[in-house]
Amino acid sequence: NGTGMVLRAVSTHVCRKLIQCGTDNPTTKRTCDALAGMPSVPLANCPAADRCLQYIDTLGCGSQTHDFSQLITLMLRSRDCADATRC
């Protein structure tokens, strides 16, 4: 469904950001490795999801956590990311 595709795209984007920032959390690395092994999915026509991905890109490495679950919680504080879960 559309929501699942959006969540997967956002999760994959979060992983790219964490790897870019040099995460050393083994659970995060396993989660991101599993996501990287899945085929990519086209992002549903959801402007909020596009804005959410842009928001993730603006997060600085020094100000964010290197833990996947904590970053997802931080990300969902963004209105666009929360709205994207309903696409």
Side-chain angles (χ1 to χ4, degrees):
N1 68 21
T3 300
M5 291 188 336
V6 167
L7 290 174
R8 192 157 127 207
V10 167
S11 295
T12 301
H13 208 76
V14 166
C15 279
R16 277 192 225 124
K17 184 67 174 185
L18 288 168
I19 290 166
Q20 173 190 8
C21 292
T23 184
D24 58 359
N25 182 300
T27 303
T28 296
K29 287 181 179 182
R30 279 192 301 276
T31 301
C32 291
D33 286 346
L35 284 170
M38 298 175 140
S40 61
V41 295
L43 192 56
N45 185 17
C46 178
D50 292 331
R51 291 189 302 271
C52 177
L53 297 181
Q54 291 172 356
Y55 169 74
I56 293 166
D57 288 338
T58 67
L59 295 172
C61 292
S63 64
Q64 72 183 10
T65 179
H66 293 278
D67 178 86
F68 186 83
S69 61
Q70 290 176 350
L71 186 58
I72 293 291
T73 301
L74 174 67
M75 180 199 69
L76 288 175
R77 291 182 186 159
S78 157
R79 175 83 178 178
D80 289 322
C81 293
D83 289 348
T85 65
R86 293 185 286 276
C87 287

